[in-house]
Amino acid sequence: MTSSFVIAVDGPAASGKGTIATRLGAIYGLPVLDTGLLYRAVGVLSLRAGRDLDDAAATAKTAAGLSADLLEDPAFRTRAAGEAASRVAVHPEVRAALLAFQRDFAGQAGGAILDGRDIGTVIAPDAPAKLYVTASPEVRAERRWKQLTAQGEGVSIEEVLADIRIRDARDSGRDAAPLKPAPDAVLLDTSEMTIDHATDAARRIVEAARARWTAS
Ligand code: DC
């Protein structure tokens, strides 16, 4: 048995992975890290510091200066922050600067849940439970649009769908830790599921993984 029970929840933008990770955290009493927030913070804080998002060294400096107490800013939840995050996330230097924070979180004695793009492939490749949560671009656009509208952002579904397609292409097409399912991840397509249904399905996947982990 490996030392701590880590649940890796990866998937594309607005697939439902964040909600599923939060709900699994409540079910299992485990701490949850939304790793997308780290990249969002690097993007927004780099812009505030006047740094060019395409400059790997400059944005890596922002990443190196990031700490947990800086993550609570609602500005990191906006549409612009998601776009900025996806742009800084292509830099291996930025990813390297965020690695130790994520690995430390994953290494907590009691276990942990992390959601993101490369948790099962790079951050915690030995995680006993790996989910790859996905949904069609149209369904994800509708979900993200509802979320952004509730936050007061004036944007059309068509614009959000275009954003999602650009983000998918950039996140999957980059050289550094591209978005892809780990070979041992269980695929969960939530396109036709309510959040309760998706949480139940995720829980069953985790229960099966936990039984294997306990027996090993
Ligand atoms: O999950 P999210 O939409 O908050 O993520 C924002 C961006 O951050 C996403 O487009 C790509 C990047 N990201 C990443 O490269 N690796 C992660 N583990 C998490 C997010």
Side-chain angles (χ1 to χ4, degrees):
M1 197 194 292
T2 46
S3 55
S4 63
F5 190 68
V6 175
I7 306 175
V9 186
D10 287 304
S15 56
K17 64 185 185 311
T19 310
I20 288 173
T22 304
R23 290 203 175 188
L24 289 175
I27 291 168
Y28 293 104
L30 289 174
V32 180
L33 179 65
D34 167 6
T35 65
L37 197 55
L38 303 177
Y39 292 91
R40 287 168 176 267
V42 173
V44 172
L45 297 176
S46 293
L47 287 173
R48 281 188 195 154
R51 292 177 175 157
D52 177 358
L53 298 183
D54 298 325
D55 184 335
T59 51
K61 256 188 216 157
T62 310
L66 206 63
S67 55
D69 56 305
L70 292 174
L71 296 175
E72 293 304 320
D73 192 330
F76 301 159
R77 303 280 176 195
T78 64
R79 181 180 171 213
E83 166 67 14
S86 172
R87 282 179 61 190
V88 297
V90 304
H91 305 311
E93 296 85 344
V94 168
R95 309 196 70 83
L98 299 177
L99 189 70
F101 183 84
Q102 296 174 84
R103 288 239 169 106
D104 286 351
F105 193 92
Q108 293 179 70
I113 303 175
L114 292 88
D115 79 79
R117 302 291 188 290
D118 62 341
I119 308 305
T121 51
V122 175
I123 304 297
D126 296 331
K130 294 184 188 177
L131 286 86
Y132 189 86
V133 182
T134 189
S136 71
E138 290 75 14
V139 167
R140 290 188 283 127
E142 190 179 344
R143 288 178 187 159
R144 182 50 56 88
W145 176 77
K146 281 187 182 150
Q147 193 185 357
L148 291 171
T149 306
Q151 285 172 204
E153 284 208 48
V155 62
S156 69
I157 291 205
E158 290 73 23
E159 286 171 310
V160 178
L161 181 57
D163 284 358
I164 285 209
R165 290 194 194 282
I166 291 168
R167 293 254 310 269
D168 282 357
R170 196 188 288 125
D171 294 348
S172 316
R174 69 185 179 217
D175 291 332
L179 168 68
K180 63 168 183 220
D184 52 346
V186 180
L187 198 74
L188 178 59
D189 187 331
T190 67
S191 302
E192 308 283 325
M193 294 182 184
T194 63
I195 184 58
D196 286 342
H197 185 185
T199 304
D200 284 348
R203 187 180 186 157
R204 281 195 296 276
I205 294 167
V206 172
E207 286 302 325
R210 199 156 69 146
R212 282 194 304 274
W213 179 71
T214 309
S216 67

